[in-house]
């Protein structure tokens, strides 16, 4: 399905190289939304200087859609979280999405149209051991999402967070052993992990003109995990 606009909408997508981001890229393109997905070399979210430099060059163009998808999840018990890891996670998972929103919103306001989706996590809503930093930054992202929806709603900009459960990507296999994943799958009502496409379909809807009234929400896509 494609948006009906004559000029194609243009989306800025982070973390489009693999995993959930690669699936989002495909789904947006299937809706005739043009996707700009800079590599982490061209837009390194760990580096405030790289963000500023990107938006004074290729990122200067107006975007209709922003998907803050890139993220990292370094596992540590709370008493073992060191300052460097904490600051890196805050920078990539929380500060960078804020900065990107600040850069893209003026053009959206001028057009009176925008769609922003922040990829959060079910660990923003519940948690488990060694997710202290991840839970903190993703919960922060939900709060940022809600405030952005309130501030930018009058300008026609809709802002939502999508909270995936366990998705079959490199991030998940890095952080969970096969035995752990099998045990986790048994606790999910649908009895399996999500495929990236199953997250991407919702993101593409939220990024499209079809979504005309859903804003400020944090939507869990978790196979029912949060119900049990
Ligand atoms: N997988 C899950 O089960 C799951 C569950 C809940 C939420 N999420 C969230 O979903 C999002 C995508 O996760 P995923 O599983 O698809 O992750 P992934 O397979 O590890 O891919 C991460 C993506 O983020 C990019 N990235 C990492 N650090 C970056 C940086 N400093 N600057 C720019 N880009 C950077 C990577 O780029 P490179 O290829 O250049 O490294 C890659 O494209 C994340 O926000 C994650 O927290 C995932």
């Amino acid at each position: 399905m494609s948006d009906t606009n004559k000029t194609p909408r243009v989306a800025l997508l982070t973390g489009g190289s693999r995993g959930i981001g690669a699936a989002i890229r495909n789904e947006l393109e299937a809706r005739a939304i043009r996707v700009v997905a800079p590599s982490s070399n061209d837009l390194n979210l760990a580096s405030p200087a790289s963000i500023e430099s990107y938006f004074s060059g290729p990122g200067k163009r107006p975007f209709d859609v922003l998907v803050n998808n890139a993220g990292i999840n370094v596992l540590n018990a709370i008493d073992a979280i060191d300052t460097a890891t904490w600051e890196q996670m805050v920078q990539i998972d929380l500060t960078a999405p804020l900065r990107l929103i600040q850069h893209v919103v003026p053009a959206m306001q001028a057009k009176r149209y925008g769609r922003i989706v922040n990829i959060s996590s079910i660990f923003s809503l519940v948690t488990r051991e060694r997710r202290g930093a991840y839970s903190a930054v993703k919960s922060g992202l939900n709060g940022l999402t809600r405030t952005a929806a309130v501030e930018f709603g009058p300008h026609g900009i809709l802002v939502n967070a999508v909270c995936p459960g366990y998705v079959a990507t490199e991030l998940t296999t890095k952080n969970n052993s096969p035995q752990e994943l099998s045990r986790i799958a048994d606790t999910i009502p649908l009895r399996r992990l999500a495929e990236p496409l199953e997250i991407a379909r919702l993101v593409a809807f939220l990024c499209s003109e079809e979504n005309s009234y859903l804003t400020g929400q944090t939507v869990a896509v978790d196979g029912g995990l949060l119900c049990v």
Side-chain angles (χ1 to χ4, degrees):
M1 198 182 309
S2 71
D3 279 341
T4 50
N5 215 43
K6 286 186 197 77
T7 316
R9 299 291 189 192
V10 182
L12 175 61
L13 164 70
T14 63
S17 65
R18 54 193 159 91
I20 296 170
I24 293 172
R25 178 183 199 144
N26 290 340
E27 285 303 290
L28 291 178
E29 287 175 346
R31 287 175 178 262
I33 296 174
R34 277 199 197 142
V35 179
V36 176
S39 73
S40 53
N41 286 331
D42 293 330
L43 174 57
N44 178 5
L45 302 174
S47 156
S50 170
I51 296 174
E52 293 316 307
S53 142
Y54 182 77
F55 284 99
S56 59
K60 236 180 182 171
R61 62 188 295 177
F63 292 103
D64 306 288
V65 174
L66 168 66
V67 184
N68 278 312
N69 163 72
I72 59 165
N73 180 6
V74 182
L75 304 190
N76 263 320
I78 285 177
D79 56 12
I81 300 174
D82 59 87
T83 302
T85 306
W86 174 265
E87 288 180 351
Q88 185 195 27
M89 289 189 62
V90 171
Q91 170 60 35
I92 294 174
D93 289 5
L94 186 56
T95 306
L98 166 69
R99 295 289 173 237
L100 267 57
I101 289 169
Q102 290 174 325
H103 278 291
V104 301
V105 153
M108 292 178 176
Q109 285 175 319
K111 282 192 189 180
R112 300 199 63 74
Y113 180 90
R115 299 285 181 272
I116 298 173
V117 175
N118 296 318
I119 305 301
S120 182
S121 166
I122 52 163
F123 293 127
S124 67
L125 304 169
V126 295
T127 194
R128 59 182 281 208
E129 68 288 347
R130 298 191 296 148
R131 268 64 174 184
Y134 191 62
S135 262
V137 291
K138 293 296 193 182
S139 301
L141 193 56
N142 293 358
L144 180 64
T145 300
R146 285 188 286 270
T147 311
V150 169
E151 291 188 5
F152 305 137
H155 303 278
I157 302 168
L158 281 58
V159 190
N160 291 286
V162 169
C163 301
Y166 289 90
V167 187
T169 71
E170 284 175 37
L171 187 64
T172 302
T173 46
K174 180 168 72 75
N175 283 340
N176 302 277
S177 68
Q179 294 79 3
E180 243 178 319
L181 287 179
S182 160
R183 190 184 50 73
I184 287 164
D186 285 343
T187 67
I188 299 171
L190 293 186
R191 296 287 185 269
R192 62 176 178 83
L193 273 56
E195 292 300 325
L197 173 63
E198 294 175 303
I199 311 303
R201 283 194 194 118
L202 172 65
V203 175
F205 165 73
L206 293 172
C207 290
S208 73
E209 291 173 27
E210 259 187 293
N211 176 27
S212 53
Y213 208 65
L214 200 162
T215 193
Q217 301 305 303
T218 54
V219 187
V221 187
D222 66 347
L225 183 57
L226 295 188
C227 298
V228 293

